Amino acid sequence: MKTLLHVRSSLFGDHGQSAVLAADFVSTWQARHPGARVIVRDLIATPLPHLDAERFAALTSQPEARTPSQQRIVAESDALVTELREADEIVLAAPMYNFAIPSQLKSWFDHIARAGVTFRYTASGAEGLLGGKPVTVIATRGGFYAGTPADSQTPWLQTMLGFLGLNDVKFVYAEGIAISADHKTEALRKAREQIASAGNEAT
Ligand SMILES: Cc1cc2nc3c(=O)[nH]c(=O)nc-3n(C[C@H](O)[C@H](O)[C@H](O)COP(=O)(O)O)c2cc1C
């Protein structure tokens, strides 16, 4: 059975523009894959803590040496990694907050980037271990940044996802949402068009 991992990170829950567009993506995907499974990872409803010294030590500890508290931390990260491994495809809702991805989404990456688990170092450099899954990023922004040096999200997400082996990444942008009601309507219309046409292109 096909599985889609849907990662949510809008502060505004179901009303966030990235959430609305990601919901469109999910409906389109479900229409293409009737009966398929969708895993929802809502990073706002259930936030992950910051990666601090204690958590990093737990994630890099030897399994046989882990304390009960370290075991709990690793189990939390393992659950996130399992969702990624089980997914055939991923949709990431990524609003722009203060010129970056939401800190909750950054925490998710901090908990899934694990040496020997989701990437490994080889003689020829780092190798991502999550390969082969298409990722669609729904990027919603108040202003306009795509294709300019001020777009801090796109290169970071491409590099981070690529580091984990996720190199097949498409971006759907909805930009200018804060400029005016007309800009917002037009941005959402264009993004919906891209989501629908991506669905038509897919097999
Ligand atoms: C805390 C906060 C910070 C924001 N920072 C930016 C920003 O740096 N650049 C920008 O273009 N828009 C910014 N915005 C506008 C959001 O990107 C825009 O409202 C977008 O729709 C957010 O996606 P969401 O509705 O899915 O949460 C910010 C919004 C909030 C709430």
Side-chain angles (χ1 to χ4, degrees), residues 165-179:
L166 298 165
N167 292 300
D168 179 2
V169 185
K170 285 194 186 67
F171 286 81
V172 172
Y173 297 102
E175 294 199 299
I177 279 177
I179 307 277

Side-chain angles (χ1 to χ4, degrees), residues 69-83:
S69 140
Q70 288 181 320
Q71 284 169 10
R72 278 193 296 277
I73 290 168
V74 174
E76 203 175 1
S77 165
D78 284 348
L80 304 174
V81 173
T82 299
E83 290 174 354

Side-chain angles (χ1 to χ4, degrees), residues 80-105:
L80 304 174
V81 173
T82 299
E83 290 174 354
L84 277 161
R85 286 197 180 126
E86 289 182 356
D88 299 291
E89 194 165 339
I90 299 162
V91 60
L92 285 187
M96 180 179 278
Y97 295 148
N98 298 321
F99 298 95
I101 59 168
S103 55
Q104 292 88 345
L105 184 55

